[in-house]
């Protein structure tokens, strides 16, 4: 039995010889991971904080609308922190922004509040029929990070360590997966609410959508994901759009959209929400923005 | 019997270190039984130490390496499989005695398909990044199915590739494979002969081929 399994090792020699008959899925997956590793060398999961001028430099020879918009951004935002474009950028940006916010504010009430929401999400997944052992490790690791950014304990971590952890695949990927579970649970729990959005997006059922576009790593996030995650954790998110759209009236403005958790907005107090996660969206990618 | 075979590589290696060939050659008087006993002892020690490694995986406070994380997860699956042994009579999932990253499954061919009555063996090789990465699964039993490679047993199933997520388990992967057996996807074939039969509408041809291979490879030989 064990002997036969050894054969499942892939066959690079066959691949090199262009022998497609023996070129197997393992080889293709090996190639995929090699490409990913090459990308990884170029940009870490989470970049350093850069001034907005770094963003402008990127478009120096590009669209004037974009340069105009970056100028406007410059009035409100001081810096950008890039994330790797591997399909998990929204979740990684969310992870770092949120934990950095807690680290800087030491807002223990917020930690308690979000922990209660995480426990709700755990119950949601259980009631949806997920086996505990499939998600508990991911929950555990996120809760651990949440506790560690609170100072004054032996396990407390500094800002530098938080950056380091966010770049460590074994932590970063687990937290991304935690968010994916939370997002999927919320979408499934409120299937009736999300169904029309999902149908319009890619003509799939809620179950198919969660299985193919939420739970697998590397699947990009759309509005549906952001709404679900923001609602489930009760964390408002602002997304600033940097694209080539412009108003007919002539003036260039930068659009943003606030994702306000239903729990906060249904209060109807008309309260101005001050989101502590601000993301810059360029078609297909999210980075972190720092307001002035 | 099979469990002894699984050990053979590692234990014989240890055995040689304990008793170098020269010692063995010059020990005509030494009863064979003793050598067997040493061998057995090596095996037992290995079994016990491995068992304890499963029971108490050393999990560092943070940034646990993926190998340890996957080991911990697999051990949970192992316990679940033991607990739910009778829950799904169509699946028997067994972990290799010495390596928690190697599993074997026996699945029953679904009824009202050409695979009915057959028992198919699957080999799982679990990567160290599990459960972030999918297990590699293939059929060890020959099967005629559009989405299974006829020679290598490789399976074309989205959840084993890009649609994988940690929400799947080894057990639920087995269920997905049984579902694939009942619902072949002839339009993305790994076995083109099989796929072509279905795509040309020759259901009878497909079923008789599939049934023949089920009889030949997945059923106990008569006599």
């Amino acid at each position: 039995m064990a002997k036969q399994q050894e054969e499942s090792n892939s066959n690079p020699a066959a691949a090199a010889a262009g022998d497609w008959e023996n070129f197997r899925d393992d080889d293709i997956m090996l190639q995929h991971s090699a490409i990913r590793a090459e990308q990884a060398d170029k940009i870490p999961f989470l970049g350093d904080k850069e001034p907005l001028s770094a963003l402008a430099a990127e478009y120096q020879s590009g669209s004037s609308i974009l340069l105009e918009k970056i100028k406007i951004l410059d009035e409100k935002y001081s810096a950008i922190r890039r994330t790797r474009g591997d399909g998990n950028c929204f979740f990684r940006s969310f992870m770092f922004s949120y934990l950095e916010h807690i680290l800087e504010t030491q807002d223990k009430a917020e930690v308690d509040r979000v922990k209660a929401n995480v426990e709700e999400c755990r119950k949601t997944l259980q009631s949806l029929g997920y086996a505990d052992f499939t998600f508990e490790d991911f929950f555990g690791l996120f809760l651990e990070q949440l506790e560690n950014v609170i100072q004054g304990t032996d396990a407390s971590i500094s800002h530098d360590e938080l950056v380091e952890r966010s770049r460590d695949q074994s932590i970063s990927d687990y937290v991304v997966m935690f968010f994916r579970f939370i997002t999927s649970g919320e979408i499934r729990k409120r299937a009736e609410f999300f169904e029309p959005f999902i149908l319009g997006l890619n003509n799939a059922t809620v179950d198919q959508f969660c299985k193919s576009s939420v739970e697998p790593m590397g699947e990009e996030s759309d509005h549906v994901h952001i709404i679900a995650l923001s609602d489930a954790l009760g964390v408002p998110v602002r997304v600033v759009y940097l694209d080539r759209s412009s108003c007919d009236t002539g003036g260039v403005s930068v659009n943003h959209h606030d994702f306000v958790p239903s729990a906060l907005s249904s209060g109807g107090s008309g309260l101005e929400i001050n989101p502590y996660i601000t993301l810059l969206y360029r078609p297909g990618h999210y980075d972190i923005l720092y307001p002035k | 019997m099979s469990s002894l075979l699984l050990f053979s590589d590692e234990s014989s290696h240890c055995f040689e270190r304990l008793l170098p060939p020269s010692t063995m050659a010059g020990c005509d008087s030494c009863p064979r039984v003793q050598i067997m006993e040493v061998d057995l002892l090596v095996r037992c020690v290995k079994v016990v130490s491995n068992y304890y490694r499963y029971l108490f995986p050393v999990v560092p406070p943070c940034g646990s390496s993926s190998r340890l994380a996957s080991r911990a997860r697999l051990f949970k699956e192992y316990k679940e499989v033991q607990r739910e042994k009778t829950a799904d009579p169509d699946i028997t999932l067994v972990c290799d005695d010495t390596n928690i990253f190697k599993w074997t499954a026996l699945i029953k061919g679904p009824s009202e398909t050409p695979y009915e009555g057959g028992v198919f063996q699957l080999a799982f090789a679990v990567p160290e990044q599990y459960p972030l990465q999918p297990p590699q699964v293939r059929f060890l039993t020959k099967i005629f199915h559009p989405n299974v490679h006829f020679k290598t047993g490789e399976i074309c199933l989205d959840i084993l590739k890009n649609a994988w997520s940690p929400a799947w388990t080894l057990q639920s992967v087995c269920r997905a494979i049984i579902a694939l057996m009942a619902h072949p996807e002839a339009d993305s074939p790994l076995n083109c002969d099989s796929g072509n039969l279905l795509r040309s509408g020759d259901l009878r041809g497909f079923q008789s081929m599939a049934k023949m291979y089920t009889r030949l490879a997945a059923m106990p030989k008569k006599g």
Side-chain angles (χ1 to χ4, degrees), chain B residues 19-33:
Chain B
L19 289 174
S22 55
T23 333
M24 288 171 74
C27 94
D28 284 340
S29 57
C30 172
R32 198 166 168 71
V33 186

Side-chain angles (χ1 to χ4, degrees), chain B residues 116-183:
Chain B
E116 185 171 5
V119 175
F120 298 82
Q121 195 178 4
L122 302 171
F124 285 72
V126 183
E128 287 181 12
Q129 292 80 14
Y130 185 81
L132 284 174
Q133 280 181 14
Q136 288 178 20
V137 192
R138 58 194 192 97
F139 275 88
L140 291 180
T141 308
K142 184 75 71 198
I143 178 171
F144 187 78
H145 185 287
N147 310 110
V148 182
H149 196 290
F150 193 64
K151 281 185 193 151
T152 64
E154 188 187 330
I155 304 164
C156 180
L157 184 60
D158 59 350
I159 60 150
L160 294 175
K161 308 279 148 62
N162 54 342
W164 166 260
S165 100
W168 291 92
T169 65
L170 300 183
Q171 183 88 15
S172 64
V173 164
C174 288
R175 279 200 292 272
I177 291 171
I178 292 175
L180 182 72
M181 288 165 85
H183 303 281

Side-chain angles (χ1 to χ4, degrees), chain B residues 2 12 28 38-39 41 45 81 90 98 114 130 146 158 160 167 172 192 220:
Chain B
S2 64
S12 61
D28 284 340
V38 174
D39 193 18
L41 185 70
V45 169
V81 166
D90 295 338
T98 57
Y130 185 81
D158 59 350
L160 294 175
S172 64
C192 291

Side-chain angles (χ1 to χ4, degrees), chain A residues 140-161:
Chain A
L141 199 80
F142 174 76
L143 291 171
E144 194 180 313
Q145 308 313 309
L146 200 58
E147 272 164 24
N148 293 352
V149 291
I150 292 293
Q151 301 302 298
T153 71
D154 291 342
S156 295
I157 56 167
S158 66
H159 189 273
D160 284 350
E161 280 170 297

Side-chain angles (χ1 to χ4, degrees), chain A residues 1-9 21 23-26 29 33 36 130-131 133-138 141 144-145 148 165 168-171 173-174 177 181 211-212 215-217 219, chain B residues 2 6 8-9 61-64 66 69 73 76-77 80 96 102-104 121 123-125 130-132 134 136 138 140 149 151-152 154-155 160-169:
Chain A
M1 261 185 255
K3 280 282 160 58
Q4 280 167 301
Q5 286 174 1
E6 293 306 322
E7 291 169 16
S8 71
N9 289 333
E21 185 67 14
F23 197 76
R24 299 179 17 201
D25 273 19
D26 311 352
M29 284 174 90
S33 66
R36 272 195 293 274
Y130 287 76
F133 70 85
T134 59
F135 60 80
E136 63 192 7
D137 293 345
F138 304 98
L141 199 80
E144 194 180 313
Q145 308 313 309
N148 293 352
R165 284 189 184 185
D168 177 342
Q169 180 162 19
S170 63
I171 297 175
D173 278 358
Y174 263 60
M177 202 49 229
F181 270 115
K211 273 197 179 131
S212 65
E215 290 172 10
M217 287 293 283
E219 286 296 326
Chain B
S2 64
L6 292 171
S8 57
D9 271 347
C62 197
S64 52
S66 51
R73 158 74 178 244
K76 285 178 194 166
E77 294 205 30
E80 188 69 15
D96 185 305
K102 301 267 183 223
W103 295 62
T104 320
Q121 195 178 4
F124 285 72
Y130 185 81
L132 284 174
Q136 288 178 20
R138 58 194 192 97
L140 291 180
H149 196 290
K151 281 185 193 151
T152 64
E154 188 187 330
I155 304 164
L160 294 175
K161 308 279 148 62
N162 54 342
W164 166 260
S165 100
W168 291 92
T169 65

